[in-house]
Amino acid sequence: MDQDQTAVLRAAIRDVPDFPKPGIVFKDITPLLGDPAAFRLAMELMAEMCADLKVDQVVAIESRGFIFGGALADRIGAGFVPVRKPGKLPWRRVSRAYDLEYGTDAVEMHQDALRPGARALVVDDVIATGGTARAVSHLVEQLGAHVVGHAFLLELSFLQGRGRLAGYEVRSLIRF
């Protein structure tokens, strides 16, 4: 992966000050998604970044993770597994709660989404604190599958989310 290519992607990400609350600078990826060349480049680089992992299933986190996870699964020849917020999936589910800064949340997947021994890649658009990705990893393992890694378009390094995923392979295209 070359720095000129990631610079193109960085240029397509907009800073939105004070969103969702004062003091936070939100990294808005919608300009990147709206630019066909930038989006294609992002997907090519993510596929290249994950090429050595031998993935059976891409496990993507709602909602922007679906955008990257679906396209990545197609490019690397893997299946796609959606992970959603509670109450959104119609079949029998497994669930995992996790802590937020103020409170808790949970994620769910179908209980038959992964076969035991499957090689799963957890995908999302951003890694911030790592709590959601960690909860998803536990769901994958609960179903008897193996987490071969995590892939993110961007990483907010100052939030140290990578530390919450200690013991797992973590890859990101862009770090802030």
Side-chain angles (χ1 to χ4, degrees), residues 14-175:
R14 166 176 48 213
D15 284 349
V16 180
D18 299 321
F19 183 84
K21 61 184 186 181
I24 293 177
V25 178
F26 185 81
K27 298 295 184 189
D28 182 10
I29 64 168
T30 56
L32 183 147
L33 296 173
D35 178 336
F39 183 59
R40 188 176 309 106
L41 176 60
M43 294 317 309
E44 288 169 2
L45 293 175
M46 286 186 80
E48 178 183 310
M49 177 176 77
C50 299
D52 64 318
L53 295 176
K54 298 180 181 129
V55 176
D56 297 315
Q57 301 287 112
V58 168
V59 178
I61 302 170
E62 183 175 1
S63 66
R64 290 181 306 258
F66 290 178
I67 298 165
F68 295 96
L72 184 58
D74 177 66
R75 279 177 172 75
I76 65 174
F80 177 82
V81 176
V83 174
R84 308 231 29 212
K85 298 291 183 185
K88 302 286 186 175
L89 292 170
W91 186 243
R92 294 181 193 118
R93 300 164 304 281
V94 291
S95 182
R96 180 75 180 205
Y98 60 98
D99 292 328
L100 298 170
E101 187 176 355
Y102 300 104
T104 61
D105 206 347
V107 288
E108 296 182 336
M109 67 175 26
H110 284 150
Q111 69 182 21
D112 62 355
L114 295 165
R115 70 181 187 328
R119 296 175 58 84
L121 175 66
V122 178
V123 174
D124 206 355
D125 62 328
V126 177
I127 178 172
T129 64
T132 307
R134 184 171 178 211
V136 171
S137 296
H138 289 300
L139 279 180
V140 168
E141 292 164 346
Q142 181 179 337
L143 294 178
H146 175 68
V147 176
V148 296
H150 294 79
F152 304 96
L153 173 70
L154 52 103
E155 179 175 348
L156 303 177
S157 301
F158 61 93
L159 293 175
Q160 301 176 343
R162 190 176 281 263
R164 292 198 65 191
L165 297 175
Y168 295 106
E169 180 73 23
V170 179
R171 299 176 182 187
S172 56
L173 280 183
I174 304 165
R175 292 185 185 176

